[in-house]
Amino acid sequence: VAGSQTRGSSLSLFSQAVVKRAGMDEEERANPPSKRRRVDLDYDLFLESLACAEDLVLQEVVGTECTRRGDVGHGTREWASLEELREANGFSWTIIDGRVYALDEFIPCHPGGKLIWLSVGEDSSDLFHAHHASQVAKTALASLEIGRLLNSSPGVGPLRVELNNRVARLLRAPVSPTAEAVAMTMLVLFAIWALLCYTRGWVMLNVGLSWFWWRHLDAGLHAVVHGDFRYSPAMHRRLLQIYSVLCHHMLDYYQGCDCMGLSQHYQHHLYTNDARKDPDWTVFALGRNWVRRQPGNPWKAYNAWQCCYWLVVRCILESVAEVLTMLSTCVNGAMQVLEAPADLPRFRARLADVLSWWSELLLSPGYQGLAFFFQPWWQALGVLMLGRALAKIVLLPFSEAQHFLMPEMPSVAADEEFVISQMRSTANLRLRSPLVRLLDFLMFHGDSMQVEHHLWPAMSFIHLREASQVVQKTCMELGLPYHEVMLLASGSYHMCIHP
């Protein structure tokens, strides 16, 4: 995830890859498969945006036309400089560890989907090593090599190489469906919880655990997007469908809809904790909010009193605004379904999207629409708002941990290794209680293991805590920073930010 790398002027090469991909999509629309449901097609396209390369899929494409050297007109040769390589036209290339690879034939087959477009015309060494640790991936890469770049600096720093070697086994394809078993068990437990709380009116159980299930569903969508459930492609598809419905409002954030095909979340991983490029950071730094969370936020006169009113804003105003926004979205979606459709496939896609919004409204712990059919409206509304208020407080540290160490907009040295910049600017949550650690694990480590998740986005949540121990030990040996913050420190940090 090469957040600190210098981006060259390779727009033409990048555009070639985009145009090529767009042509493929247009051909698919012109000749749609007749034996597959449209909903499966939609999720197939979503699966293509996964940042994690599947060893199983790579095994299938190694040795095929996807991994054969294309006729790029150069053969195996050497380039004296990056500028000379950029002047070469007619093919898409990338640099990994000083070697040049042709990507034209492999882009359509890339198991990680559209993320590969960001490597076109760039040194993507750190991006590659953050997501690929298997020999299968390296074999596929070797088959695309067309030459090398002379006098090139190492693509990745020595610390990245050392850490990758130490956690290599944690990045391999899973040999058992542990992650899938955890996810399916949690979904069954959620169904039982929802049945008791929505239809039977178990108030204390609802208020006491709605925050947990709210966070679990969001973290589940986050985990499935990063490819945590890789043991079975079929199971992965089913989990993606389930979590996409139960947390549908986060789908655009994770899936994305820009011309690059990259979601805001993938851009966050591409420019992690870069105060000027990371979209997650700029929301905190540039937004005008009732509660000024960072020194980079614009200062307003009312922010001087935020220590007095932040709790009301957090627990009441934000909750009311979110519920009304969801209702508005669902009603507008229903009205769009009544409009005359352009064609049948678009109508089906629109209907599926609207049904997903309404399903989340009815089933999500954050909205609990189903409870209004089985309980008095005032009771259902009161329990909902009380549960949301508690969730806003309990989950505050998890949402603030990754920004805890960035009170200013730091200037990263051009020669600073990406791993070191992440160690300096990222913090984990320090969870001492075994019960809290268990709940955090069942929430798939959401935002608590930010250091390791930023270093290896493709690593399953099953291995994050073990990887954390490896990274901590390495940092102690080399005298590097490794930050952990307590729950209360992370949650209360932003409450009293002065101009």
Side-chain angles (χ1 to χ4, degrees):
V1 188
S4 60
Q5 294 178 356
T6 304
R7 309 307 262 172
S9 56
S10 58
L11 181 60
S12 60
L13 296 175
F14 178 82
S15 300
Q16 292 174 18
V18 173
V19 170
K20 183 171 183 177
R21 185 70 191 201
M24 293 175 55
D25 293 341
E26 185 65 31
E27 181 180 353
E28 183 178 86
R29 284 193 293 268
N31 302 281
S34 58
K35 296 183 179 181
R36 298 185 62 189
R37 294 181 302 169
R38 183 67 189 178
V39 65
D40 287 336
L41 258 183
D42 293 338
Y43 281 107
D44 279 348
L45 295 176
F46 186 16
L47 281 169
E48 285 187 337
S49 67
L50 294 176
C52 178
E54 301 276 1
D55 283 354
L56 181 61
V57 181
L58 277 173
Q59 188 73 56
E60 294 176 356
V61 301
V62 170
T64 65
E65 294 183 357
C66 295
T67 55
R68 293 172 187 161
R69 290 186 181 88
D71 183 11
V72 297
H74 294 282
T76 302
R77 57 167 294 184
E78 297 176 343
W79 287 268
S81 65
L82 186 60
E83 288 70 24
E84 179 183 343
L85 180 58
R86 283 185 175 138
E87 291 177 358
N89 295 318
F91 72 102
S92 302
W93 54 264
T94 191
I95 302 171
I96 299 176
D97 298 333
R99 299 194 174 275
V100 183
Y101 301 89
L103 299 178
D104 282 314
E105 299 299 327
F106 188 65
I107 287 176
C109 310
H110 182 230
K114 301 176 182 179
L115 191 64
I116 193 175
W117 292 349
L118 269 294
S119 67
V120 175
E122 302 290 344
D123 187 324
S124 57
S125 303
D126 219 338
L127 182 65
F128 176 83
H129 289 293
H131 291 87
H132 307 85
S134 68
Q135 188 59 43
V136 177
K138 295 176 182 178
T139 300
L141 180 67
S143 65
L144 303 174
E145 183 180 344
I146 59 173
R148 65 190 185 96
L149 185 65
L150 299 178
N151 303 319
S152 63
S153 58
V156 293
L159 182 57
R160 162 66 83 182
V161 174
E162 178 64 22
L163 287 175
N164 277 9
N165 290 335
R166 295 192 179 192
V167 303
R169 66 181 183 83
L170 304 179
L171 293 169
R172 296 170 185 165
V175 296
S176 62
T178 305
E180 288 82 355
V182 173
M184 292 304 299
T185 301
M186 296 306 297
L187 288 173
V188 171
L189 292 176
F190 168 71
I192 297 174
W193 175 87
L195 177 66
L196 295 176
C197 295
Y198 299 170
T199 64
R200 302 296 180 85
W202 289 29
V203 175
M204 297 303 296
L205 185 65
N206 192 336
V207 175
L209 288 181
S210 60
W211 65 269
F212 171 79
W213 291 114
W214 193 4
R215 183 60 190 143
H216 169 82
L217 296 178
D218 178 82
L221 182 58
H222 173 264
V224 75
V225 164
H226 278 291
D228 278 25
F229 311 107
R230 289 182 284 161
Y231 183 80
S232 166
M235 181 62 71
H236 184 279
R237 185 191 307 278
R238 299 286 85 80
L239 289 173
L240 177 59
Q241 291 174 329
I242 294 172
Y243 282 117
S244 296
V245 170
L246 295 176
C247 196
H248 192 70
H249 74 284
M250 293 298 295
L251 199 57
D252 283 343
Y253 172 77
Y254 289 119
Q255 181 180 8
C257 56
D258 56 1
C259 61
M260 294 168 56
L262 290 179
S263 65
Q264 179 179 324
H265 187 67
Y266 280 162
Q267 294 179 46
H268 160 67
H269 276 284
L270 193 64
Y271 306 109
T272 307
N273 283 346
D274 186 324
R276 296 171 179 82
K277 296 181 179 180
D278 183 350
D280 283 8
W281 169 250
T282 55
V283 168
F284 285 90
L286 302 179
R288 184 178 68 252
N289 301 297
W290 281 104
V291 179
R292 186 172 181 259
R293 301 184 177 185
Q294 299 290 341
N297 282 116
W299 175 263
K300 299 297 179 181
Y302 48 76
N303 291 132
W305 300 93
Q306 67 182 34
C307 290
C308 303
Y309 65 68
W310 75 270
L311 190 62
V312 175
V313 170
R314 179 79 180 175
C315 297
I316 300 179
L317 293 187
E318 289 184 5
S319 295
V320 171
E322 290 169 1
V323 171
L324 292 178
T325 300
M326 172 60 78
L327 288 172
S328 175
T329 301
C330 291
V331 172
N332 289 336
M335 294 175 63
Q336 291 177 8
V337 172
L338 300 178
E339 297 177 0
D343 51 51
L344 185 57
R346 292 186 183 181
F347 174 76
R348 289 177 177 175
R350 183 191 304 172
L351 181 61
D353 182 63
V354 172
L355 291 177
S356 296
W357 279 107
W358 278 93
S359 297
E360 182 182 8
L361 178 66
L362 294 173
L363 301 176
S364 170
Y367 305 103
Q368 302 189 13
L370 194 62
F372 287 82
F373 292 94
F374 295 92
Q375 304 173 32
W377 69 267
W378 52 268
Q379 177 180 326
L381 181 60
V383 172
L384 170 64
M385 300 309 295
L386 188 59
R388 289 185 66 97
L390 180 62
K392 291 288 186 178
I393 297 175
V394 173
L395 298 178
L396 178 61
F398 293 88
S399 62
E400 297 297 326
Q402 59 185 312
H403 304 286
F404 182 82
L405 294 175
M406 301 190 66
E408 304 294 341
M409 298 178 70
S411 57
V412 179
D415 57 347
E416 183 177 66
E417 189 174 348
F418 172 76
V419 174
I420 296 179
S421 67
Q422 289 308 297
M423 298 292 189
R424 181 172 55 82
S425 61
T426 309
N428 285 352
L429 283 179
R430 182 183 301 166
L431 307 175
R432 299 189 182 277
S433 168
L435 176 60
V436 176
R437 285 194 174 196
L438 175 61
L439 292 175
D440 179 60
F441 173 78
L442 296 178
M443 292 188 293
F444 303 152
H445 292 305
D447 292 309
S448 62
M449 310 293 289
Q450 286 290 292
V451 174
E452 291 70 32
H453 179 60
H454 285 168
L455 293 179
W456 300 286
M459 181 178 289
S460 172
F461 70 91
I462 297 292
H463 302 305
L464 285 179
R465 189 161 296 280
E466 185 177 353
S468 174
Q469 297 173 357
V470 173
V471 176
Q472 288 186 62
K473 182 179 179 180
T474 304
C475 290
M476 291 181 62
E477 293 176 359
L478 303 178
L480 296 173
Y482 187 90
H483 300 288
E484 290 183 310
V485 296
M486 301 296 291
L487 279 170
L488 292 179
S490 176
S492 61
Y493 171 70
H494 73 279
M495 298 175 191
C496 300
I497 301 296
H498 300 289

